[in-house]
Amino acid sequence: MIKEHVKCLIIGSGPAGYTAAIYAARAEMKPVMYAGLQPGGQLTETTEVENFPGYPEGIQGPEMMMEFRAQAERFGTDIRDGLATEAFLNETPKRILIEDKAEITADTVIISTGASAKWLGLESEERLKSGGVSACAVCDGFFYRNQDVVVVGAGDSACEEAMYLAKLCKNVTMLVRKEEFRASKIMVQRTIDTENITVMFNTETVEVLGDQVVEGIKYKNNKTNEEGVISATGFFLAIGHKPNTDIFKGQLDMDNIGYLNVTPGTTKTNIPGVYAAGDCADKNYRQAVTAAGTGCMSALDAERFLADNGIH
Ligand code: NDP
C-alpha cells in the first residue's frame, strides 16, 4: 500500500475535479487526483454537449472530459485510478483511504465526487442510453425538437424537465407511478396547465422499445394492469439523483439527500481545509459549466487555506 502526504488531494474527476486540478497545479500545489469509478464523471455518459461555452460546434461529452484531463495533466496534476473508500477528515492532516491501494494524508482535500442520476434498471433503458434515453432534459432536450417524448418521475425535477421539454417538443407524456405528484404545488399546477403535457398516473414503464434508437415506451397501469405503448423518440428519467458522498457521512454537513453543505459563495465545508465542488454540493444547477466554476473556486479556497496556515 502506498503511503504518501500531499498538499492537495482531489477526489473525483468530472468537470469540477479537473478544473480544480488545473488551478491547483498552476498554483504549484502539486495536486494528486483519484479519478474514481467513472473517470470523467457523468459527462462520459452523454453524447453531444452544446451548451459549454467555447465549443461553438458542440463536442462529445467523453471527448470534452479528455481535454479537461489533458489540461490538468499539462500543468502537472498526478491523476491516478482509484476510488476513495474511507475518509478521516477530522484528523490533522486529513487521511483518505483509496481502496486497499493507498493511504493518503493531505493538507487540503477537494471533494468533487459528483452525483449519479437514478435509473429504473431496465435492460432496454441501459441499451438505449446513447439512443434517446437520457437523465438530463437541459443537456439533451434540444435533439427532440418537435418530437414526442416521455418523462418519468413526479418530483420537482420531473415537472421542471417536462416543462422544459414542452417548450421544445410536440408532446410530453409524464409517467407517474403513484396517484399523485410529489412535487411542490406550484410546480404541479404549472405542469398540468401546460397544454402539451399529458400526465398518466399509476403508470410504470415496462420497456423502452427500439433497436438502436427509442421508438416508443411500453407502460402498465399498476391499478388495472392494463398495458399500452406511447410512441416517442426520447425517454427522460427524472427520478432523482444521488450525490456520491456516503463516505463523508457523520463528518461533513450535508442535507437529507446527501448533498454537501458549503458556506454560500464559497466551497468551504464545515471542516477547514476541506472543500466541495460540483454536483456533490449542488442539487439545483448540476451543469458542467457550474461544476467547473465551483472547481475553480475550490482550488482558490484551498490555496488560501495553505497560505493562511503557512504551508508551502
Ligand atoms: P425527488 O426525490 O423529489 O422525486 C423523485 C421522484 O421520482 C418521485 O416522484 C418518485 O416517485 C419518482 N421515482 C423514484 N423512483 C422511481 C421509479 N423507480 N419509477 C418511477 N418513479 C420513481 O427528486 P427530484 O430530483 O425531483 O428533487 C430532488 C430535490 O430537489 C427535491 O427536494 C426537490 O424539491 C428539489 N428540486 C427543486 C426544484 C425547484 O424548486 N425548482 C427543481 C428540482 C429539484 P414517488 O413520488 O412515487 O416516490
Side-chain angles (χ1 to χ4, degrees):
M1 180 184 281
I2 302 172
K3 285 198 179 198
E4 191 181 353
H5 180 78
V6 303
K7 272 204 276 196
C8 178
L9 176 68
I10 300 173
I11 307 174
S13 58
Y18 286 140
T19 307
I22 293 165
Y23 275 77
R26 295 186 81 250
E28 301 197 329
M29 290 155 68
K30 300 192 171 51
V32 167
M33 169 189 280
Y34 278 93
L37 271 187
Q38 187 183 14
Q42 290 181 75
L43 276 171
T44 59
E45 281 184 1
T46 56
T47 48
E48 193 149 14
V49 179
E50 291 184 329
N51 54 8
F52 199 94
Y55 296 98
E57 305 304 325
I59 181 167
Q60 294 294 310
E63 190 188 340
M64 184 164 96
M65 284 303 94
M66 276 157 60
E67 295 205 349
F68 271 54
R69 183 180 177 122
Q71 195 170 350
E73 284 176 328
R74 178 182 157 205
F75 297 109
T77 309
D78 182 349
I79 302 177
R80 305 172 183 173
D81 287 335
L83 180 71
T85 42
E86 236 179 311
F88 303 90
L89 300 176
N90 285 307
E91 295 179 4
T92 307
K94 300 139 203 357
R95 189 162 59 94
I96 309 283
L97 299 185
I98 311 294
E99 302 159 67
D100 51 7
K101 291 183 191 167
E103 180 178 59
I104 308 290
T105 55
D107 298 312
T108 60
V109 176
I110 294 174
I111 299 169
S112 47
T113 47
S116 308
K118 292 189 193 159
W119 302 92
L120 295 173
L122 300 171
E123 179 280 321
S124 52
E125 168 195 60
E126 182 62 34
R127 182 167 48 79
L128 290 165
K129 268 190 188 162
S130 53
V133 172
S134 165
C136 180
V138 178
C139 319
D140 299 327
F142 187 74
F143 302 113
Y144 304 94
R145 271 173 305 166
N146 302 320
Q147 300 175 37
D148 293 340
V149 299
V150 168
V151 174
V152 179
D156 284 325
S157 296
C159 291
E160 205 169 63
E161 305 244 313
M163 283 187 276
Y164 181 85
L165 290 165
K167 290 193 197 125
L168 299 167
C169 304
K170 202 154 88 188
N171 294 298
V172 178
T173 306
M174 278 182 89
L175 305 186
V176 173
R177 67 178 171 181
K178 289 190 186 141
E179 224 154 63
E180 57 189 12
F181 279 97
R182 183 192 289 200
S184 52
K185 281 206 172 86
I186 184 162
M187 295 291 272
V188 173
Q189 198 57 48
R190 283 187 199 151
T191 304
I192 55 184
D193 285 347
T194 305
E195 229 169 72
N196 58 341
I197 298 180
T198 307
V199 183
M200 295 173 69
F201 291 101
N202 297 312
T203 304
E204 292 177 31
T205 309
V206 176
E207 193 185 344
V208 188
L209 304 173
D211 227 6
Q212 305 288 320
V213 292
V214 173
E215 290 167 9
I217 307 303
K218 185 172 175 191
Y219 66 86
K220 181 169 112 178
N221 182 303
N222 55 26
K223 282 265 152 86
T224 62
N225 282 334
E226 194 187 318
E227 293 194 340
V229 171
I230 303 163
S231 169
T233 49
F235 183 63
F236 290 85
L237 279 304
I239 59 173
H241 280 77
K242 192 181 173 331
N244 303 316
T245 57
D246 285 355
I247 65 165
F248 309 114
K249 270 193 186 134
Q251 300 177 59
L252 293 181
D253 291 345
M254 51 182 80
D255 71 7
N256 58 353
I257 306 172
Y259 287 100
L260 299 176
N261 292 342
V262 293
T263 306
T266 76
T267 61
K268 294 177 186 171
T269 68
N270 54 303
I271 298 181
V274 179
Y275 305 95
D279 285 14
C280 66
D282 172 15
K283 77 173 172 198
N284 283 321
Y285 302 105
R286 296 198 289 248
Q287 298 301 300
V289 69
T290 49
T294 53
C296 157
M297 289 163 64
S298 66
L300 296 177
D301 285 339
E303 188 184 357
R304 284 178 198 142
F305 176 87
L306 292 175
D308 290 348
N309 288 279
I311 302 167
H312 302 292

